[in-house]
Amino acid sequence: MCHRGGSKCLIWGVLLLFCVGGPNADAQRTNQRNVKKPNAKTKIRLPESVRTKKPVDMDVAPVRQSSRDEIRYAANELDTFIERELLAEGIAPQELASDEVFLRRIYLDVAGRIPTLQEAEQFLASKSSDRREELIDQLLSSPDYVSHTYNWWADTLRLVDRPQPNLVADPYNGYVKESIAENKPYDQWVYEMLTADGKVWDNPAVGFQLRDDGMPLPYIDNTVRVFLGTQIGCAQCHDHPFDEWSQYQFYQLAAFTAGTSTRMRKGDPGYEKTNPANALINEGKKRFDKGRVPGEFQRIARANTYIVSERPRRLRLPHDYAYRDAKPKDFVEPKVLWGEIPSSAAKSSPREQFAAWVTSPENPRFSQTIVNRLWKRLMGVGFVDPVDDFRDENPCVNEAAMDYLCKELVRRGFDLKELTRIVLYSQTYQRKAVDYDITDGDLYYFPGPTVRRMTAEQVWDSILTLAVDNPWPFQRPTAEEMKPVMDLDFSKVDFAEVQRRSAKFKETYFASVYKRNLNQHAYQRNVLCRASELPAPLPADHFLRQFGQGDREVINGSQDEATVPQILAMFNGPITHVMLEPGSALVDNVLEKNNIKKRIDAIFLSVLTREPSTEDRVLASRELSSQNQTGVGYGNIIWALLNTREFLFVQ
């Protein structure tokens, strides 16, 4: 397990490397390692936008304070189900984690970052018997919760800003974030995404359908995998070799969404004889110099042809269908995989029937899947793992606990924040963490959460917490902001108006220009903002990608394996140098302390969320003495702590 003693040799081994002249010996002599208070002559290289503390402009639905007693009771019931299974397996539950360990864990799991020095000092000084519950409720009601939860869903929903060159998905990504902020009931949110019509800036939920634009069969596979925890993709081409699903059943399910259209059609306003975007671009070839139609003109014109709608259409089996239950190219009637279409949707369109079935309280797999996904997010391992592989051969390790949480979810109106609160209030979550490797093949019965490496976003946002006072210098654009710039009514606009709109588009949301404008918040080409607000996908050499953030092409494509580029990025990368720049939050916090002991304490509490042990203090003081108490000594201590397993892991 990762704990103080277990990481101490690494902490001071790294520190020794700095002292004797390791790979960063030259860097010690630079301003980046020379921690000192800025003065009139000191060059401040951090953008002003991240150095000024500002409240985050975001409305976040608070938790229900009136339900705290109910949540406590539910958490106790959950503990009972977990402990009953532990007893049956002869496993003792872990002791409760210390306040220091709990503090760091809850910030990383709910806020997606480590606490600031001030936040840590405030919690650890509290004498309130309810301080843990109060902190949980505070964080669940914060913009940090929205940011971290957005990152989680971005990995699952494969959120990118431009799924295709002409498709602008920013409004959809903003919609996901806003749905989290307002704590939209989960069943309502999913239903909206499965049934939305229109343009993405009119009804941004259509972005879910557009993410798989042009791929109607993978759309069904991805939808079932994300929301129902079932992998049916193999049945697209043949009967599933490891599960009960047949190719015929796959096509029956796909028949519900076969009538979904994602483009303008003849008869739509502005679409008469020819595609209006093509007509505008062809006219542009005559009007623009040398016939070169600017990219922003083409993008905004084509982006306005993406309109989601539903029309009657029957689905046929493929031409090479090879099973005896039907013939190639036969029409297929819609049918769900299990259960029935809710009676309330009997007269609805096929797509609405499909959405009603997916999100029904009577569909157990819908609630089981989100409960299981959330459980893995907070505990490190799912009741069923992998989380999207529910089948008889992949058993649930505690059906009673999962069923209880599912019933609570449905009873509370699919309120994901209340579900999260139940888990966080539980002793099961608040126990000491356990080293566990799922690849060993042993089932995990949850004597406590598992030790796990931070996600790429948690590492990034934690370093920002150390480095800057304002990690929110901007937020990703919303549909409301983009609509006045992006929306074209082809039945009314003329060529000159499209030119004006495209010029405005270029100044604001045209991808290359938008990213370039973000550089005003950058340090050494790294834009200093929460990971949730950065463009996606990021370049492959970006810190977040080096630490395992996926390219968002596959569901849950992030990775947590250690790599050499990660070591180099932490050891001597620009994003870690930023915290020792004059004017950084960490520098200011440390130098505000008026003696060496308090400064050492501030460093440990800032980086590791704990006070140093006696041995830590002795070694740190010795390092400062060897450097004549210069900023280099403080920099060495910070770098040593940052490059430890204790920093990078949630324990």
Side-chain angles (χ1 to χ4, degrees), residues 107 113-121 465 468 589 605-606 609:
Y107 264 91
R113 62 173 176 85
I114 59 175
T116 65
L117 176 62
Q118 292 76 18
E119 289 166 339
E121 290 174 334
T465 299
V468 304
N589 285 337
L605 202 54
S606 296
T609 322

Side-chain angles (χ1 to χ4, degrees), residues 149-159 226 373 455 457 548-559:
T149 305
Y150 174 87
N151 292 332
W152 183 58
W153 276 113
D155 189 39
T156 302
L157 298 176
R158 300 168 295 136
L159 300 185
V226 168
R373 284 186 178 278
T455 64
E457 294 85 357
Q549 185 185 76
D551 59 8
R552 307 270 172 84
E553 289 302 313
V554 296
I555 297 168
N556 298 128
S558 61
Q559 302 291 328

Side-chain angles (χ1 to χ4, degrees), residues 79-94:
D79 287 330
T80 299
F81 289 116
I82 295 296
E83 290 167 13
R84 187 178 298 163
E85 194 70 26
L86 288 171
L87 180 62
E89 296 295 327
I91 302 171
Q94 293 282 89

Side-chain angles (χ1 to χ4, degrees), residues 230-232 234-235 238-250 252 325 336-339 365 389-393:
T230 304
Q231 299 184 23
I232 62 171
C234 286
H238 50 74
D239 288 355
H240 202 300
F242 308 116
D243 212 336
E244 61 183 292
W245 314 120
S246 67
Q247 187 179 14
Y248 193 79
Q249 285 177 300
F250 182 96
Q252 285 180 308
D325 52 358
V336 296
L337 296 178
W338 57 77
R365 193 60 57 80
D389 193 19
F390 278 76
R391 53 190 171 89
D392 293 341
E393 292 77 11

Side-chain angles (χ1 to χ4, degrees), residues 378-547:
L378 299 174
M379 299 296 292
V381 182
F383 289 120
V384 175
D385 216 301
V387 292
D388 54 7
D389 193 19
F390 278 76
R391 53 190 171 89
D392 293 341
E393 292 77 11
N394 191 28
C396 175
V397 298
N398 195 322
E399 291 186 5
M402 185 167 72
D403 288 347
Y404 176 73
L405 288 175
C406 289
K407 290 175 182 176
E408 284 295 299
L409 175 65
V410 174
R411 188 170 74 84
R412 297 177 184 279
F414 287 92
D415 187 325
L416 292 187
K417 192 170 287 190
E418 291 289 85
L419 176 66
T420 304
R421 205 174 169 204
I422 291 171
V423 178
L424 298 177
Y425 271 35
S426 72
Q427 289 194 351
T428 299
Y429 173 80
Q430 295 186 27
R431 296 189 186 282
K432 291 182 178 179
V434 178
D435 269 326
Y436 170 76
D437 188 348
I438 195 170
T439 61
D440 290 342
D442 298 326
L443 296 179
Y444 189 69
Y445 294 95
F446 307 103
T450 61
V451 176
R452 56 203 187 277
R453 204 211 75 183
M454 289 189 204
T455 64
E457 294 85 357
Q458 285 171 323
V459 180
W460 174 269
D461 288 342
S462 293
I463 291 175
L464 281 187
T465 299
L466 292 168
V468 304
D469 287 309
N470 178 29
W472 296 82
F474 64 90
Q475 294 186 51
R476 61 175 47 259
T478 65
E480 184 179 7
E481 293 167 336
M482 295 187 73
K483 181 178 171 65
V485 175
M486 299 296 303
D487 190 35
L488 298 178
D489 184 344
F490 287 121
S491 66
K492 297 179 180 179
V493 297
D494 57 15
F495 185 85
E497 176 62 19
V498 176
Q499 271 190 296
R500 286 191 291 271
R501 291 290 190 89
S502 67
K504 185 65 175 176
F505 175 41
K506 183 176 181 179
E507 294 172 2
T508 53
Y509 303 116
F510 190 54
S512 58
V513 177
Y514 177 77
K515 293 176 183 178
R516 191 159 59 244
N517 289 339
L518 298 184
N519 287 332
Q520 63 182 300
H521 312 293
Y523 169 85
Q524 294 190 19
R525 293 181 294 179
N526 285 268
V527 178
L528 302 179
C529 190
R530 290 293 296 251
S532 59
E533 312 310 304
L534 297 177
L538 289 160
D541 61 351
H542 192 277
F543 181 96
L544 280 159
R545 294 291 301 279
Q546 289 177 331
F547 269 81

Side-chain angles (χ1 to χ4, degrees), residues 363-376:
N363 186 349
R365 193 60 57 80
F366 181 61
S367 54
Q368 287 171 351
T369 298
I370 188 58
V371 163
N372 194 46
R373 284 186 178 278
L374 183 65
W375 185 259
K376 179 167 185 175

